[in-house]
Amino acid sequence: MNRLDALRGSTPQKPHDARAIAALAANPGCTRRALLDGAGIDKDAAARHLGFPAPFGQSPFAITRGNAFESLVKADGCAELLRMLRELLGLPIAEVAYHDVENVGAHLRHAHTRALFDRAARDGDDAGTVYDHPLLSLRIAGHTAYLEPDVVAFQLGGRFHIVEIKSFAVIDGQADPAAVAAAARQAAVYVLALRRMLAELGHDPLRVAHDVVLVCPENFANRPVATLVDVRRQLGVLERQLTRMTALDRLLDGLPEELTFDLMPGEDGLPTRPAAELADALRRATARYAPDCLSTCDLCFFCRDEARQEGATDLLGRHVRDELGGVGSVGEALGLADGTRAPGEGQEEIARLLRNAERLRRECLA
Amino acid sequence: MSDRLDELERRIDGLRAGVRRAMRAKDPATARGLRAELRAAERAWDALVTEDAAPGTAAGTDGAPAAVPGPRTGGRGRPRGGRLVTVREQVHQALTLLGAPAQPRLVAAVSEALLDGALRGAQLTSLRRDEERSFVSSPYGRPYYLCAALTDRLSPARGLLTVSTWPLERRVVGPLSPRVDFLTCAMAVARHLGADPVAALDPRALRLLARMARNIPGATDADLGPPDPDRVAGAAAHELAVHAGRDTRDRAELAGRATSQLDDRARLFGASTLITVARDTVAGDTVTTSGTAGGTATRGRR
Amino acid sequence: MSLLTSLARLRALDEGIAQPIATVRHCHLSARPMVFVPLKLSGEAAAPLAAVLGTDRDRPHLLVVTQPRNRDLRFAWAAELAGVLLPYVEGFLSDTETVERRNADPYERALDAPQLLVPNTAGIAFTRLLGRSTRFRRPDGPYPVPETVPLLGRWLTYFGERAAFPGSSLMLAATEELGRHWASGQSGLEDANLAALLGWITEGPADDAEDPLIWPPAGPATDPGFDAEVLAPAIESGSAERITEALRTQLEPTWRLMWQAVDLLAGLPEGASVAQRWEQDRGSFSGMAAQIAEGAPPQARRDGAVAAASRLARMERAQAAYEVQRAYDDPLVMAEYRLTGEAFAGEVVETDPAHAEGEGRSRKLRPLVVVKTDDPVRLAPGTALGTPQRRGQGAELVSAGDGLVTIKITKGMGRGRTPTPGAVPEVGERVCYSSLTDDFQGSATLPEAEATPWTHGGPPSAYVPTDDDAQEEWS
């Protein structure tokens, strides 16, 4: 992984959190993103330095609300959570043991989590039920990312369940599908991390359930309600992408040896590398911009700007791109429509359609 | 006057935009400076508007929090009958009623619903630190201290309040204790309301009881009417019997360790986690302990 | 989206200005629409923060929850909203017409109906949630609310649900309607930003539209930067004036954009079928008003199985009808079908108006028309055809090839030995025929609600709102 370290240069590594790892699977075809993430480069900082700050932010009200809801679910010995686990999974009354992994110092939390789960997997019945503030880890392209699931519940048929607490509401049995999907992707990261931990400890990784317990407020009350969410599909996507990331060497092969995305932070941590130079370096790694990037990738405005300058049809969305049968540039597509450009091999059909479409538009708008 | 307001508003808008631009550029120093200017401008604006509206009408105070039908914690300031009770005494009363370690949220809810208190979460956050400071400067100078519950590593349990006069067995928490203490608290609340039919009519008290009851098996019929205090107490006692034996053993063991290993101050306010960590690291001792077998973690503390 | 629209987007991108994808307006536009721009508190499902609304662009009503964390003030806000919206809605109930029906009693239909315009689809979703969170409230009992609040909830629920009904114009999202008539040079995702989309349509794209400092989001979500830097300190200060002024800055730009959108849509001539769909809207609106007047309970939390199935079937029919009507109303929409070979247009080159099939009593008049077209016709002989030029007429494809299509007219040319004058197009006339036709299968036979099979949950119990509904916290 030396080349990845060289890509990052003197920039401190940005640790991945579950949300970032989940987002890795968002645009698997993007080499630029794969390399930046693989090298652990702070894309947000890079985007700001390039003059294209990411359009993301979280409202303090949303953060406060999220924290308040989580503490409600965990209040009074996880009373609400135990009720839901009993209702949802048939947790026996006797199973109430609570372990707060955070009782140990911060840098021991991961080791402590390992020890607790090892013991739970070995001893079964005598182990705890609710593990609060566990700290898991996952290797991402040679680096270790530390992950903090909300809660891990054990003892439900000898299985571990990831509990994910989210403050978006479930109203009359329905929640915002995008929010549920994001929660499922994030929970899948925890499932995978916990499975790998058990495997390393010599236990059966499948003792971590692929059903995660999603806890949300119900209707407009604060009362929490739990739902099982199957994350097998998200796990599949995630594993595939992580495997891909271990094969970054292949992506690096086509790039010049001396290429680096180093931000060259000064003493104050602010980047000192000329932005134009960084932009040039980034452009060496091909991006695969799609409008979806606008909600998932810090570098989206930079890549969109690049797509604009190139006149790429990607700008208009995958749907348009697919409909154009892979005609990649706006000028090319319009040339085919106007008949000023001869179709290349394999473009005859799309050219015919575009010419017809152009004729019809002219006729109707005349 | 309104010229001046217009001017201030323009300035405020400009400053707000500046602050947000600085925040987005992650330039905290500029943002802070601009924010300070912004606050000053906003204060000036507030003052001017109030001054503007004050003569003759009450409009100027419309926006003041007291005139608004009220953030719950703001309006109702003092206990019934004008009797002034300190925050620490209110907490003490609530904890005494509950009889088990409890989180500030529950303490405040009990104080409000059953004791007519008015605690705010923020008032409780600094409480334990103040108590510890007082104890250090003059040990046992007060009849009681509000102090920490102790974890299985004898460190202070986050967010759990106890009273120093309780036996140590009650002030330590093993793996089952959070549940046991919740059930104990629920029983206490239910019995308090069962014994005082008038108090049981207070909607705040009923809400508190209902909230606890729904998390105890057999304590309510599915959402029909207010919970019956006797039934809630009975259901809590029933589940408590399942956990009590093991919890009592765990706690006795922890209390024994606390007695032999901790000094007076640490027995009340908990051993520092940092020390624990340092010892463990030096000893090269991977922490493989939890629950009742926490010995290695605190070995050789004193 | 079709290739035609994709091409329009490419052209827009190339020319730096949005391109028309419709030649007429496909939605009804009220003479007095109620423009409604709501904002919600971040992190909450349906906690209102503020709204600006009104029917007069020069007199917006600004309603603000002056202490957003206070539940009572949220209901006071809902009551204020009811104070503006209910008189508007009820104002349409006095002028009605009597509609005769087959096999049913005649009913009274409002001559005009209210129309709610919100900036985007999230605004519609929020309106629905606002309806859901207020319609079960009670003016009496332990958590009383002003009595207009539950009524408001029922109307908001109605508008929110009706917005999902294809072709309905009772509640519209500006970005959706603009996007139906213009193709911008950006993606559909970016079109959800009202300022950006209007920029493309009017002056061309500008990055300003994405800068929340210049164009605050059109709601209901607020800009996180605004929340952190402006709103939170204002709430902390407890000053109602400050909170109001802060929220005004976030709403006023969108208010102006909304009326700009109204003007743009008003500039298009109305499509021929719009009035017919609006008539259905008026009927639906009158039905809802009648239900309320008869004291029916608020809409249930969820449909029963039969109600859900019949609703789905109604929506599918409405969707199909809407698509056909748009194509018949608008040559640019029909062009999409011409591109795929499901329709063709061209000049009549030959006719045989007296052509007949069969002998004696079974002799039928079947005028023949030959159309010369450049369109790639992909229709089999025998396919039933309709034409926007003569809407009642039916035809059938006889043969197609070499740019010539022969059709025979089967319906709508009169019963005599020769066709009604004007029924058969003349040589030289431009015509368009399509396999899209407006006659649909009748509704699927669904059991009455009382006969719901057990596989679908059995007959639903009548919905009775519970105290629990009324007491839900509004967190």
Side-chain angles (χ1 to χ4, degrees):
Chain A
M1 283 298 155
N2 280 337
R3 290 224 30 210
L4 283 177
D5 289 337
L7 271 185
R8 197 178 67 248
S10 58
T11 317
Q13 194 188 337
K14 161 122 175 163
H16 292 87
D17 59 12
R19 207 185 289 251
I21 295 171
L24 294 180
N27 190 358
C30 182
T31 301
R32 182 176 298 162
R33 173 162 192 160
L35 290 177
L36 284 163
D37 285 337
I41 291 167
D42 184 344
K43 295 198 295 297
D44 181 46
R48 256 183 289 119
H49 188 53
L50 292 165
F52 293 96
F56 311 133
Q58 212 185 351
S59 164
F61 303 121
I63 295 170
T64 308
R65 163 90 172 125
N67 292 342
F69 182 68
E70 186 178 335
S71 67
L72 174 86
V73 171
K74 292 182 176 178
D76 304 326
C78 292
E80 294 279 358
L81 182 61
L82 286 172
R83 166 180 62 78
M84 290 182 282
L85 292 176
R86 287 169 177 180
E87 286 167 3
L88 191 68
L89 297 162
L91 181 71
I93 296 290
E95 301 301 341
V96 297
Y98 170 89
H99 289 277
D100 188 350
V101 184
E102 220 170 28
N103 278 348
V104 302
H107 65 289
L108 285 180
R109 255 170 77 204
H110 180 54
H112 194 40
T113 305
R114 269 177 80 97
L116 284 173
F117 288 169
D118 185 32
R119 197 172 78 105
R122 237 181 317 111
D123 298 357
D125 287 352
D126 205 30
T129 301
V130 172
Y131 295 90
D132 203 356
H133 307 110
L135 189 65
L136 305 174
S137 69
L138 198 59
R139 298 286 285 176
I140 306 284
H143 297 287
T144 302
Y146 286 95
L147 307 164
E148 305 183 74
D150 290 328
V151 172
V152 171
F154 179 59
Q155 282 298 336
L156 311 155
R159 285 157 85 85
F160 293 88
H161 282 80
I162 296 291
V163 178
E164 185 68 18
I165 303 172
K166 292 286 179 199
S167 63
F168 59 81
V170 179
I171 292 165
D172 297 340
Q174 307 223 312
D176 174 11
V180 176
R185 279 196 301 270
Q186 202 180 328
V189 178
Y190 300 136
V191 171
L192 184 67
L194 186 50
R195 282 187 171 175
R196 293 203 171 162
M197 176 187 281
L198 286 190
E200 278 169 33
L201 291 166
H203 303 291
D204 178 6
L206 294 184
R207 288 180 69 181
V208 184
H210 58 248
D211 286 327
V212 302
V213 179
L214 178 61
V215 176
C216 298
E218 187 174 31
N219 299 336
F220 303 98
N222 254 328
R223 178 171 182 168
V225 62
T227 322
L228 281 180
V229 179
D230 183 339
V231 299
R232 266 177 293 186
R233 205 188 67 79
Q234 289 81 357
L235 271 172
V237 174
L238 179 66
E239 284 190 279
R240 196 180 157 282
Q241 182 61 2
L242 290 182
T243 314
R244 243 187 122 255
M245 293 199 57
T246 59
L248 289 175
D249 292 349
R250 215 164 25 86
L251 299 179
L252 285 164
D253 279 347
L255 297 172
E257 279 295 328
E258 68 285 0
L259 183 72
T260 177
F261 302 147
D262 196 348
L263 302 179
M264 301 177 180
E267 290 200 347
D268 53 1
L270 294 173
T272 63
R273 188 169 184 196
E277 196 185 305
L278 176 64
D280 283 342
L282 282 170
R283 288 196 194 98
R284 304 298 288 268
T286 320
R288 187 162 184 257
Y289 171 79
D292 293 338
C293 298
L294 293 171
S295 53
T296 53
C297 184
D298 291 310
L299 222 53
C300 58
F301 280 165
F302 175 76
C303 300
R304 185 177 69 175
D305 182 67
E306 184 185 56
R308 278 178 182 164
Q309 287 175 17
E310 291 169 355
T313 54
D314 298 311
L315 281 172
L316 300 175
R318 294 243 160 87
H319 181 90
V320 172
R321 201 197 151 107
D322 291 349
E323 208 162 44
L324 291 174
V327 178
S329 95
V330 177
E332 193 181 353
L334 288 174
L336 291 174
D338 293 338
T340 54
R341 186 187 179 102
E345 210 179 314
Q347 288 185 332
E348 295 84 359
E349 175 62 12
I350 185 65
R352 192 185 60 76
L353 280 170
L354 280 169
R355 272 199 309 277
N356 243 329
E358 179 65 20
R359 174 182 65 84
L360 288 168
R361 277 190 62 78
R362 278 175 203 262
E363 179 194 315
C364 295
L365 289 168
Chain B
M1 187 66 79
S2 86
D3 283 353
R4 176 110 175 75
L5 276 171
D6 288 348
E7 185 198 311
L8 271 171
E9 272 166 16
R10 270 193 301 277
R11 183 164 160 67
I12 287 170
D13 283 347
L15 286 167
R16 277 177 188 158
V19 167
R20 289 159 70 194
R21 233 174 264 124
M23 289 297 285
R24 285 199 302 166
K26 300 261 161 92
D27 179 358
T30 309
R32 178 186 290 268
L34 288 171
R35 215 180 275 130
E37 287 182 56
L38 176 60
R39 297 285 183 276
E42 282 168 341
R43 269 199 303 278
W45 189 88
D46 282 351
L48 210 55
V49 161
T50 316
E51 192 182 315
D52 220 359
T57 69
T61 55
D62 267 358
V68 176
R72 289 190 68 105
T73 48
R76 195 176 15 228
R78 67 191 50 205
R80 206 166 13 214
R83 181 173 52 101
L84 278 170
V85 181
T86 60
V87 168
R88 90 183 274 276
E89 180 52 28
Q90 287 183 52
V91 173
H92 180 231
Q93 286 175 3
L95 282 171
T96 304
L97 189 152
L98 290 170
Q103 288 173 333
R105 182 196 198 84
L106 180 60
V107 169
V110 165
S111 173
E112 186 205 19
L114 307 181
L115 302 168
D116 221 0
L119 291 171
R120 257 175 296 172
Q123 295 175 314
L124 299 188
T125 46
S126 58
L127 195 60
R128 218 162 61 183
R129 211 175 44 238
D130 296 344
E131 293 282 299
E132 182 168 3
R133 207 171 290 141
S134 157
F135 181 83
V136 171
S137 66
S138 107
Y140 300 108
R142 294 175 171 181
Y144 66 83
Y145 290 90
L146 300 172
C147 50
L150 305 184
T151 68
D152 55 12
R153 309 173 69 82
L154 304 185
S155 56
R158 284 177 313 156
L160 282 179
L161 292 168
T162 63
V163 184
S164 58
T165 52
W166 289 353
L168 207 45
E169 286 78 7
R170 204 192 292 176
R171 289 192 35 246
V172 292
V173 288
L176 302 190
S177 306
R179 183 65 182 173
V180 164
D181 291 344
F182 165 68
L183 294 167
T184 308
C185 291
M187 275 167 60
V189 169
R191 284 186 181 143
H192 182 89
L193 292 178
D196 183 352
V198 180
L201 292 175
D202 187 319
R204 290 172 298 172
L206 284 179
R207 264 203 304 277
L208 173 65
L209 185 64
R211 213 166 57 221
M212 299 182 98
R214 77 172 183 228
N215 293 318
I216 303 169
T220 52
D221 291 319
D223 288 339
L224 287 179
D228 167 24
D230 291 342
R231 180 165 169 185
V232 176
H238 191 74
E239 188 185 330
L240 195 56
V242 176
H243 312 305
R246 189 174 151 198
D247 185 55
T248 308
R249 278 198 305 282
D250 290 349
R251 284 180 137 160
E253 193 266 345
L254 281 173
R257 265 181 27 219
T259 310
S260 63
Q261 294 177 10
L262 302 182
D263 61 21
D264 288 357
R265 172 183 169 179
R267 254 201 308 277
L268 290 183
F269 298 100
S272 149
T273 328
L274 283 176
I275 295 169
T276 318
V277 166
R279 289 283 157 84
D280 282 339
T281 314
V282 171
D285 202 347
T286 319
V287 188
T288 54
T289 60
S290 74
T292 54
T296 45
T298 49
R299 185 182 49 203
R301 167 171 317 282
R302 288 157 70 106
Chain C
M1 216 192 318
S2 68
L3 184 66
L4 223 56
T5 307
S6 296
L7 178 61
R9 283 192 184 271
L10 291 168
R11 189 68 70 194
L13 188 54
D14 190 50
E15 296 188 2
I17 192 93
Q19 301 290 309
I21 50 172
T23 61
V24 296
R25 171 162 40 81
H26 293 285
C27 57
H28 173 83
L29 194 58
S30 166
R32 212 163 55 88
M34 174 63 75
V35 170
F36 176 43
V37 184
L39 292 184
K40 76 178 191 78
L41 186 63
S42 290
E44 310 272 340
L49 197 55
V52 60
L53 75 164
T55 55
D56 181 346
R57 72 181 71 198
D58 298 321
R59 290 184 48 231
H61 298 266
L62 175 67
L63 310 179
V64 173
V65 182
T66 50
Q67 186 46 262
R69 295 197 184 110
N70 183 321
R71 180 187 129 112
D72 295 333
L73 290 183
R74 289 181 193 164
F75 285 114
W77 180 89
E80 276 185 80
L81 181 62
V84 181
L85 268 185
L86 292 181
Y88 170 73
V89 169
E90 285 160 358
F92 290 91
L93 292 171
S94 43
D95 294 329
T96 61
E97 58 191 351
T98 305
V99 183
E100 304 289 342
R101 289 183 290 185
R102 254 183 301 171
N103 306 327
D105 291 335
Y107 77 103
E108 290 297 305
R109 182 167 64 201
L111 287 175
D112 198 4
Q115 181 176 50
L116 249 58
L117 301 181
V118 294
N120 45 38
T121 49
I124 293 177
F126 180 66
T127 303
R128 210 167 39 231
L129 280 184
L130 211 51
R132 166 63 182 79
S133 65
T134 49
R135 71 177 187 261
F136 298 119
R137 304 286 153 184
R138 299 241 184 105
D140 52 13
Y143 297 92
V145 300
E147 60 184 6
T148 52
V149 168
L151 185 57
L152 172 78
R154 298 171 69 173
W155 277 114
L156 292 180
T157 302
Y158 171 74
F159 281 110
E161 284 179 356
R162 189 73 190 169
F165 195 81
S168 168
S169 294
L170 284 172
M171 179 172 199
L172 299 175
T175 51
E176 290 289 289
E177 290 311 317
L178 292 171
R180 230 188 278 285
H181 296 86
W182 283 273
S184 72
Q186 60 185 359
S187 67
L189 204 82
E190 291 153 297
D191 278 352
N193 178 334
L194 181 60
L197 181 54
L198 275 169
W200 271 100
I201 295 171
T202 53
E203 289 163 346
D207 283 342
D208 286 1
E210 284 170 352
D211 186 343
L213 293 175
I214 298 170
W215 288 105
T222 48
D223 167 33
F226 165 78
D227 284 357
E229 293 297 328
V230 182
L231 187 58
I235 290 176
E236 216 49 57
S237 79
S239 155
E241 285 95 344
R242 255 179 76 180
I243 295 170
T244 305
E245 288 317 306
L247 290 165
R248 190 194 299 279
T249 63
Q250 298 299 291
L251 284 163
E252 262 179 353
T254 306
W255 176 258
R256 293 199 304 274
L257 291 178
M258 284 300 286
W259 288 100
Q260 198 185 358
V262 169
D263 291 343
L264 280 167
L265 289 168
L268 293 169
E270 186 175 279
S273 308
V274 170
Q276 183 193 333
R277 289 197 298 272
W278 183 243
E279 186 182 276
Q280 290 171 5
D281 276 335
R282 290 191 284 123
S284 167
F285 165 68
S286 302
M288 175 66 192
Q291 277 188 23
I292 289 179
E294 287 160 12
Q299 299 95 325
R301 285 159 175 253
R302 278 185 248 191
D303 278 343
V306 170
S310 87
R311 183 180 149 82
L312 193 63
R314 273 203 316 277
M315 291 189 41
E316 279 173 0
R317 281 199 306 282
Q319 181 67 42
Y322 181 47
E323 277 167 18
V324 174
Q325 288 170 359
R326 284 203 308 142
Y328 273 55
D329 289 357
D330 187 342
L332 199 47
V333 178
M334 184 60 96
E336 294 179 3
Y337 299 91
R338 291 169 62 190
L339 190 62
T340 54
E342 296 162 88
F344 59 91
E347 196 181 307
V348 176
V349 291
E350 194 186 333
T351 62
D352 182 356
H355 179 78
E357 291 176 350
E359 292 300 327
R361 281 179 162 271
S362 64
R363 180 189 154 90
K364 289 182 199 130
L365 186 64
R366 287 291 181 264
L368 291 177
V369 178
V370 181
V371 181
K372 183 177 181 307
T373 180
D374 293 332
D375 296 344
V377 185
R378 286 207 185 84
L379 296 167
T383 306
L385 301 173
T387 171
Q389 282 78 31
R390 293 170 178 79
R391 296 219 174 178
Q393 200 165 78
E396 198 179 295
L397 189 110
V398 177
S399 66
D402 297 331
L404 291 178
V405 186
T406 307
I407 61 156
K408 62 181 177 192
I409 300 171
T410 55
K411 205 176 89 187
M413 65 296 187
R415 294 177 176 275
R417 293 186 66 84
T418 54
T420 322
V424 178
E426 303 282 329
V427 170
E429 188 182 333
R430 278 200 65 82
V431 290
C432 173
Y433 285 89
S434 164
S435 62
L436 289 177
T437 52
D438 202 356
D439 40 73
F440 300 102
Q441 304 140 359
S443 58
T445 316
L446 289 166
E448 293 294 313
E450 299 77 59
T452 307
W454 65 268
T455 47
H456 293 71
S461 47
Y463 182 69
V464 183
T466 63
D467 277 345
D468 219 36
D469 287 333
Q471 290 174 17
E472 250 174 26
E473 287 165 53
W474 194 2
S475 62

